[in-house]
């Protein structure tokens, strides 16, 4: 699943209500609480102008005058998030929550900072708390679901994406990620429908197009998958995975020359892509170009010495090149790495013990 960050902060900053002041004596000062609000509003204005360091200074001064100013803690945390000072942001959200335990935005903001720190379990709890306090806030459900997806709990993730979509039927990313959960659950037709909905809401959402192609391939709609890959690659030609996946689909459709072309393009973009080397080896085997197949499989093995399928393919190529000993060694290695068909090929070809 491709997870897309929708809101950098979750919620924007808001200023307190302005209060008119009559300043007849220039030397007088505002009461501390009012001066704190003035500094707070100045910090919000500076934040909106992306002057984050100056905004922090204003929030600092506001909190010096009014240490129980929950919104100042929240907005300083949000500003620190923008500055990638995630640990300090979490500390400020902690203070905001102590002062205002029912503020859903405090939990959501802290979850975003925790996630940035890699504290996934803590973020999951806070997203859940935000959704509990404000069930009609779709991003809380979405991000909670995304973390469940990363954990491999696809059924629970789908339930969260369901809630996000119920709250916000125009939430393209929620449709996309629910589709990915459906794919993981083997519900390919439902996945295709959700990817299609995401694309109808956001036609330039290219990851949805790429993932719909993969779902169509899994549903054995090779023609539809190729159409989606073609559309994607007409718009974005720097994605080695997209070329490899279209090559695999062409391979499945028996278009072996086209598959070789796609795997070759992928390797131009990423010469260290072991999967593409092995897949091109498989296509060369179908084209009976055994020398090229053996060379490509060897390249894949050089990049990943535990690549069982590459040993299998090199074994097949070596067999056709009359290198029986080399073929037997490769098949046995594939079996050793867990590919049971390696044992069968070795046995059927009369490979003796080493």
């Amino acid at each position: 699943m491709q997870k897309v960050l929708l809101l950098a902060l979750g919620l924007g900053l808001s200023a307190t209500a302005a209060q008119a002041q009559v300043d007849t004596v220039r030397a007088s000062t505002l009461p501390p609480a009012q001066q704190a609000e003035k500094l707070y509003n100045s910090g919000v204005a500076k934040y909106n102008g992306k002057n984050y360091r100056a905004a922090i200074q204003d929030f600092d001064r506001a909190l010096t005058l009014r240490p129980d100013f929950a919104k100042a803690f929240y907005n300083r945390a949000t500003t620190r998030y923008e500055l990638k000072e995630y640990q300090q942001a979490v500390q400020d959200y902690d203070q905001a929550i102590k002062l205002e335990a029912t503020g859903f935005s405090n939990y959501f903001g802290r979850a975003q900072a925790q996630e940035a720190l890699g504290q996934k379990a803590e973020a999951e709890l806070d997203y859940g708390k935000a959704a509990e306090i404000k069930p009609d806030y779709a991003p809380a459900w979405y991000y909670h679901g995304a973390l469940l997806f990363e954990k491999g709990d696809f059924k629970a993730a789908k339930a969260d994406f369901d809630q996000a979509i119920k709250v916000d039927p125009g939430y393209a990313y929620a449709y996309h990620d629910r589709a990915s959960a459906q794919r993981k659950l083997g519900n390919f037709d439902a996945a295709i429908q959700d990817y299609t909905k995401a694309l109808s809401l956001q036609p330039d959402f290219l990851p949805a197009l790429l993932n719909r192609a993969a779902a169509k391939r899994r549903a054995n709609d090779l023609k539809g998958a190729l159409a989606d890959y073609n559309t994607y690659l007409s718009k974005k030609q720097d994605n080695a995975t997209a070329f490899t996946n279209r090559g695999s689909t062409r391979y499945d459709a028996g278009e072996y020359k086209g598959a070789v072309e796609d795997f070759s393009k992928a390797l131009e973009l990423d010469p260290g892509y072991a999967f593409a080397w092995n897949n091109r080896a498989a296509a060369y085997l179908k084209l009976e170009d055994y020398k090229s197949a053996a060379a490509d499989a060897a390249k894949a093995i050089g990049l990943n010495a535990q690549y069982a399928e590459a040993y299998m393919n090199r074994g097949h190529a070596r067999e056709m090149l009359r290198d029986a000993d080399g073929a037997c060694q490769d098949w046995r290695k594939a079996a050793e790495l867990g590919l049971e068909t390696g044992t069968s090929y070795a046995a059927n070809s009369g490979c003796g013990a080493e």
Side-chain angles (χ1 to χ4, degrees):
M1 177 185 77
Q2 170 160 345
K3 179 182 174 184
V4 182
L5 188 63
L6 297 179
L7 304 173
L9 303 175
L11 298 172
L13 307 191
S14 59
T16 59
Q19 296 183 2
Q21 301 293 324
V22 178
D23 191 2
T24 56
V25 182
R26 292 293 176 186
S28 68
T29 59
L30 292 171
Q34 289 184 343
Q35 190 172 350
E37 289 197 2
K38 182 178 179 180
L39 288 164
Y40 169 85
N41 288 339
S42 174
V44 170
K46 289 172 181 175
Y47 171 90
N48 289 334
K50 300 186 183 302
N51 192 358
Y52 299 130
R53 288 297 176 193
I56 291 284
Q57 291 177 357
D58 282 345
F59 294 136
D60 287 346
R61 294 168 63 195
L63 286 163
T64 298
L65 292 166
R66 185 179 159 191
D68 64 346
F69 201 165
K71 287 184 178 179
F73 276 114
Y74 167 78
N75 285 347
R76 189 171 70 177
T78 300
T79 308
R80 283 176 163 167
Y81 183 96
E82 282 294 331
L83 292 168
K84 302 186 187 305
E85 297 173 353
Y86 302 123
Q87 190 59 58
Q88 291 171 288
V90 168
Q91 292 169 0
D92 275 348
Y93 285 125
D94 289 344
Q95 292 300 315
I97 288 169
K98 286 180 182 178
L99 294 166
E100 193 178 74
T102 60
F104 85 94
S105 59
N106 295 329
Y107 289 99
F108 185 86
R110 188 170 70 176
Q112 296 253 285
Q114 288 167 335
E115 190 171 358
L117 288 168
Q119 298 170 355
K120 300 297 181 67
E122 293 85 348
E124 182 184 331
L125 289 173
D126 274 351
Y127 285 133
K129 185 66 175 178
E132 176 187 330
I133 294 171
K134 191 171 176 59
D136 62 347
Y137 188 56
W141 292 107
Y142 171 79
Y143 283 105
H144 190 260
L147 288 178
L148 291 174
F149 185 99
E150 289 180 10
K151 287 170 57 176
D153 191 349
F154 306 120
K155 186 174 181 180
K158 177 188 172 298
D160 276 354
F161 298 138
D162 287 344
Q163 286 296 119
I165 290 167
K166 182 179 179 181
V167 172
D168 181 2
Y171 203 157
Y173 295 116
Y175 281 104
H176 174 274
D177 286 7
R178 186 173 72 176
S180 295
Q182 295 279 26
R183 269 176 63 195
K184 291 292 187 178
L185 293 168
N187 303 326
F188 302 118
D189 290 341
I192 291 166
Q193 290 176 6
D194 274 350
Y195 286 133
T196 300
K197 180 65 175 179
L199 286 163
S200 73
L201 292 166
Q202 192 171 319
D204 60 347
F205 194 179
L206 293 184
L209 186 63
L210 191 61
N211 288 330
R212 187 176 69 178
K216 287 180 177 179
R217 182 184 173 208
R218 292 293 303 276
N220 294 316
D221 179 8
L222 300 182
K223 183 177 180 180
L226 284 172
D228 278 351
Y229 284 129
N230 291 341
T231 301
Y232 178 92
L233 288 167
S234 71
K235 298 178 180 181
K236 186 174 175 60
Q237 298 184 346
D238 60 352
N239 188 333
T241 300
F243 278 107
T244 297
N245 288 348
R246 188 175 70 175
S248 296
T249 306
R250 284 177 162 174
Y251 181 95
D252 291 344
E255 300 175 11
Y256 304 121
K257 288 184 178 180
V260 166
E261 291 173 2
D262 276 344
F263 297 137
S264 298
K265 182 62 177 178
L267 291 167
E268 288 176 16
L269 294 168
D270 183 2
Y273 197 175
F275 189 76
W277 285 106
N278 180 62
N279 281 9
R280 193 171 72 172
Y284 276 135
L285 282 171
K286 291 292 187 179
L287 293 170
E288 300 182 0
D289 183 350
Y290 304 119
K291 185 175 180 180
S292 295
D296 276 2
K299 184 67 175 180
I301 291 166
L303 291 165
N304 178 5
Q306 306 302 306
Y307 202 159
E309 289 80 0
Y311 284 103
M312 280 295 299
N313 284 334
R314 190 173 68 175
H316 295 325
R318 283 176 162 178
E319 179 188 34
M320 301 308 295
L321 291 169
R322 302 296 186 265
D323 179 4
D325 290 341
C328 287
Q329 289 175 7
D330 279 343
W331 289 329
R332 282 194 291 261
K333 182 64 175 179
E336 177 187 320
L337 292 171
L339 201 58
E340 294 182 3
T341 52
T343 301
S344 299
Y345 274 101
N348 292 336
S349 299
C351 298
E354 288 184 324

